[in-house]
Amino acid sequence: MTTTAPRASGRPIRIAYLLVPQFPMMSFAAAIEPMRSANRMSERRLFEWTLVSAEGTQVEASNGIRISTECRLDQLKAIDLLIVCAGLEPAQFGAGHLVHHQLRRLARHGAMMGGISTGAFVLADAGLLADRRCTVHWEYADWFQSRYPSIALSRDLYVVDRNVFTCSGGTAALDMMLHFVGEAAGPAIAAAVAEQFIHPQIRRQDEHQRLGVHARYRVDSPKLAGIIKLMESGVENPLDIRELAGLAGISARQVERLFREQLGMSPKVFYLKLRLAHARTLLRQTVDPILAVAVECGFASTSHFSHAYKRIFGIPPTQERRSLAVRNPGRARRKKTPRRYGGARG
């Protein structure tokens, strides 16, 4: 199974980074810096890259920093890998958008297609994830699964499936690109690059994205960690405390004691906050009706949901939704000639 682009006649592997408005800077840096470092550590031009966008103009990252791109996506010619860097607004390209057509064009001409963070949404809308496994940032996984139920979604750090690769984002992009460095130049160069970035262990693609329950909530009781896992998997149909206690093999009184001793709150309050946090994610990421969000998070009515939401977050769900209207950058097009990067001693 091919998992990286071939290096024909010793030429560099050509990579294009498609920057989508509101892309995550951390993921982008983690995806491009290993290439620069690999060139430096190997003293060869292993990789070269160019930055592109739908309009060929500057693209604003989620932190507000604007990055200049070299050309429009439809001006891009021969490349080996294309990586879609997307973040807060992954579904902003509507059905039939020119971006999707151009991605399919590049795939037909042999380019491997990749997505970082929520880049999998763009690849899915372009029809490039059919019969492929993929991954996406854990915060967007439920939305992705509901939007594309036929696509096999993994919770791995990154997934390489034949000519398509996806990554959950953040520092996982570093591990994925180190995988490509290793295939292009060998494990010694990949290890040298990892060491340059104070990255002592290159993680495998099948490792989990999120910290374990113990680390996330700073609990040291295996029983309590098991109950929290049950709560996280039962957001839509919450179990009562007695049911949770029975599944954990302890009494309801012990459950109450563990939550109060290690988390400083009752299990009922913890469970409510967990469900409302999930609701907040859905309100911010989807256009699902508020009633649908309420039901998905285990509330029988919008009034109960709204009251609980306002009590925890200070605003009702309707205001949360109104405050997050999707922005439209609306930048003008301008022609530019692609520029290549990747000097051996950079």
Side-chain angles (χ1 to χ4, degrees):
M1 179 171 64
T2 300
T3 56
T4 191
R7 299 184 69 232
S9 304
R11 65 163 175 79
I13 295 175
R14 301 160 298 185
I15 307 174
Y17 295 86
L18 172 61
L19 303 186
V20 177
Q22 298 301 297
F23 70 93
M25 187 66 75
M26 170 69 82
S27 301
F28 170 60
I32 198 168
E33 280 295 284
M35 308 295 99
R36 176 196 62 80
S37 184
N39 287 351
R40 175 173 175 261
M41 300 308 296
S42 66
E43 298 187 342
R44 289 185 291 158
R45 196 178 179 87
L46 293 172
F47 303 95
E48 63 181 25
W49 53 89
T50 189
L51 309 184
V52 303
S53 64
E55 303 295 333
T57 54
Q58 288 185 333
V59 181
E60 185 175 299
S62 58
N63 62 4
I65 295 176
R66 294 173 180 245
I67 300 292
S68 295
T69 58
E70 311 311 315
C71 69
R72 297 194 311 265
L73 182 61
D74 62 1
Q75 294 175 310
L76 197 59
K77 302 302 181 185
I79 57 168
D80 298 309
L81 286 79
L82 183 137
I83 303 176
V84 180
C85 301
L88 295 180
E89 300 172 16
Q92 59 188 273
F93 300 128
H97 195 281
L98 180 63
V99 162
H100 303 143
H101 169 74
Q102 295 301 330
L103 292 177
R104 291 192 293 271
R105 172 182 66 85
L106 292 166
R108 285 197 301 270
H109 284 81
M112 283 189 74
M113 309 303 288
I116 286 177
S117 190
T118 61
F121 281 79
V122 181
L123 297 180
D125 285 335
L128 296 173
L129 290 180
D131 301 318
R132 299 288 188 276
R133 291 177 64 250
C134 71
T135 191
V136 70
H137 190 281
W138 61 266
E139 191 177 19
Y140 290 80
D142 290 340
W143 182 19
F144 185 93
Q145 197 70 86
S146 64
R147 186 179 173 93
Y148 314 104
S150 64
I151 295 177
L153 181 65
S154 165
R155 300 299 177 102
D156 293 349
L157 282 181
Y158 65 93
V159 173
V160 182
D161 191 344
R162 289 162 286 177
N163 61 339
V164 177
F165 56 95
T166 48
C167 171
S168 55
T171 58
L174 174 58
D175 296 283
M176 183 177 72
M177 301 314 286
L178 287 171
H179 163 80
F180 289 129
V181 169
E183 291 207 335
I189 294 297
V193 172
E195 190 173 18
Q196 283 291 306
F197 293 113
I198 323 298
H199 193 62
Q201 181 179 354
I202 302 175
R203 293 174 293 179
R204 303 186 315 274
Q205 63 177 307
D206 60 353
E207 293 191 36
H208 295 299
Q209 297 179 23
R210 303 190 70 183
L211 293 172
V213 168
H214 292 83
R216 261 187 289 143
Y217 296 104
R218 298 184 179 180
V219 299
D220 57 20
S221 165
K223 293 289 187 183
L224 179 56
I227 292 169
I228 292 173
K229 287 180 182 178
L230 289 171
M231 288 179 168
E232 289 182 335
S233 63
V235 171
E236 185 172 355
N237 298 298
L239 302 171
D240 64 33
I241 303 307
R242 292 180 184 277
E243 289 175 313
L244 290 167
L247 290 170
I250 58 178
S251 68
R253 180 174 294 183
Q254 286 176 298
V255 173
E256 290 278 352
R257 179 178 57 79
L258 284 171
F259 272 88
R260 292 189 183 279
E261 286 181 353
Q262 298 199 24
L263 294 168
M265 66 185 78
S266 70
K268 183 178 179 180
V269 170
F270 179 88
Y271 209 171
L272 177 64
K273 288 185 174 181
L274 189 152
R275 290 158 55 206
L276 288 171
H278 182 58
R280 193 180 203 183
T281 297
L282 293 176
L283 288 170
R284 291 180 169 186
Q285 295 178 358
T286 76
V287 294
D288 293 345
I290 289 176
L291 175 58
V293 173
V295 170
E296 186 166 343
C297 297
F299 293 91
S301 68
T302 53
S303 59
H304 180 204
F305 171 57
S306 296
H307 179 74
Y309 196 94
K310 186 174 181 179
R311 190 169 71 250
I312 296 299
F313 296 119
I315 58 174
T318 50
Q319 187 175 337
E320 184 82 75
R321 178 60 61 77
R322 281 196 302 267
S323 67
L324 291 157
V326 176
R327 290 173 292 176
N328 180 12
R331 298 189 179 95
R333 293 176 180 238
R334 57 192 176 94
K335 294 183 178 180
K336 297 181 74 175
T337 302
R339 182 167 72 247
R340 301 292 182 184
Y341 295 89
R345 300 298 296 176

